[in-house]
């Protein structure tokens, strides 16, 4: 799990919810060409919780096959109970090329920290690959606290955490008992360049899926220590993010952007609307200016 950018891939679907494998394969090749450090399949941007049960293992299998071991491949297994997460793990259990599974805490109830510990410990006991914690309090209503993470990282099968809470990352990085192999993936894209400069250098976000060339330029600049160039590249990604979010929904705008990259299909929940033609034109203009299309 080397430092750099990790992309939460989008999941391309037909109108009836059927997975489009060739579109996912094209997206993965774009990311590999851009120098991605790893991919998350069926995370939040990959609308895992909205997918048909029949399509879920297909997405995992095709993605692992397309990546073909070139970078680490993580797969989302988020659900609302230990039993249901175990069921998702079972559905992808025989697929080769999966390097870890990622889950938020159950998002229907507001869990206590002890319940969070029991939830992840049970999943880690069950999974055959490392489990990555996903701290997403905007959805789950509860933030994972540093002491809970420190209890969990003593478990032999907890691989790391994805969180946008920079305070959490700072506390964990300073812990004297921090395991060497515990990976901290930062997900607050607005300050990726600042975080990277302070050593929080595993950065994961779904916007990289529709900005592979700009993401490559961003992390090339960060690697060179060119903070100004890095800031300019990140600002371009954030401007596109804000434009997409200003349409019917972020995921609807994201679908439009992915289509412009040549990745066919819908990348959004099936109840969402469609981007207006004028918004589509603005998205295309900005992506041309960025050099993505």
């Amino acid at each position: 799990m080397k430092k750099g950018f990790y992309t939460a891939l989008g999941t391309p679907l037909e109108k009836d919810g059927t997975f489009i494998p060739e579109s996912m394969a094209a997206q993965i090749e774009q990311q590999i060409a851009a120098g991605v450090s790893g991919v998350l399949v069926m995370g939040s941007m990959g609308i895992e919780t909205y997918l048909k049960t029949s399509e879920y293992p297909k997405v995992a299998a095709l993605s692992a096959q397309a990546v073909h071991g070139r970078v680490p491949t993580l797969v989302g297994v988020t659900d609302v109970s230990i039993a249901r997460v175990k069921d998702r793990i079972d559905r992808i259990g025989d697929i080769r090329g999966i390097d870890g599974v990622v889950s938020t805490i159950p998002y229907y109830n507001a869990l206590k920290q002890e319940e969070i510990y029991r939830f992840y410990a049970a999943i880690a006991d069950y999974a055959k690959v490392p489990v990555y914690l996903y701290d997403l309090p905007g959805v789950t209503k509860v933030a994972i606290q540093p002491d809970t993470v420190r209890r969990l990282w003593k478990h032999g099968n907890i691989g790391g955490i994805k969180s946008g809470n920079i305070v959490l990352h700072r506390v964990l990085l300073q812990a004297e008992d921090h395991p060497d192999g515990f990976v901290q993936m930062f997900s607050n894209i607005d300050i990726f360049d600042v975080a990277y400069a302070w050593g929080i250098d595993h950065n994961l976000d779904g916007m990289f899926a529709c900005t592979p060339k700009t993401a490559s330029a961003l992390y090339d600049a960060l690697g060179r220590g060119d903070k100004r160039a890095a800031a300019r590249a990140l600002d371009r990604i954030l401007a596109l993010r804000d434009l997409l979010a200003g349409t019917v929904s972020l995921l609807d705008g994201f679908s439009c952007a992915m289509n412009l990259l040549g990745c066919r299909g819908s990348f959004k929940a099936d109840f969402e609307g469609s981007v207006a033609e004028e918004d589509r034109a603005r998205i295309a203009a900005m992506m041309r200016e960025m050099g993505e299309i």
Side-chain angles (χ1 to χ4, degrees), residues 32-179:
I32 296 293
V36 72
S37 293
V39 295
L40 169 58
V41 180
M42 295 184 291
S44 298
M45 207 72 157
I47 57 172
E48 178 237 350
T49 55
Y50 298 99
L51 298 178
K52 288 182 177 180
T53 301
S54 62
E55 304 309 289
Y56 176 76
K58 297 178 186 177
V59 178
L62 181 282
S63 299
Q65 180 183 13
V67 173
H68 197 59
R70 290 175 288 179
V71 296
T73 300
L74 307 179
V75 174
V77 294
T78 291
D79 218 306
V80 294
S81 70
I82 293 170
R84 289 182 65 86
V85 171
K86 286 182 177 180
D87 183 65
R88 287 190 179 272
I89 291 172
D90 287 342
R91 290 178 183 277
I92 61 172
D94 295 330
I95 299 171
R96 293 185 178 182
I98 295 175
D99 300 293
V101 293
V102 182
S103 179
T104 69
I105 61 176
Y107 49 84
Y108 193 79
N109 293 30
L111 274 63
K112 300 179 177 64
Q113 292 299 308
E114 181 61 30
E115 292 171 325
I116 293 173
Y117 174 80
R118 288 201 298 266
F119 172 78
Y120 280 121
I123 295 170
D125 285 340
Y126 190 76
K128 295 179 181 179
V129 294
V131 172
Y132 290 80
L133 321 179
Y134 185 177
D135 181 40
L136 191 64
V139 173
T140 64
K141 300 178 283 292
V142 178
I144 305 173
Q145 296 299 315
D147 286 346
T148 303
V149 178
R150 292 179 66 183
R151 286 183 68 193
L152 285 164
W153 70 26
K154 295 175 183 177
H155 192 291
N157 201 32
I158 298 290
I161 185 170
K162 174 185 183 292
S163 175
N165 184 345
I166 198 166
V167 176
L168 172 68
H169 282 287
R170 180 177 180 274
V171 171
L172 295 179
L173 284 171
Q174 294 183 91
E176 293 182 358
D177 59 339
H178 192 293

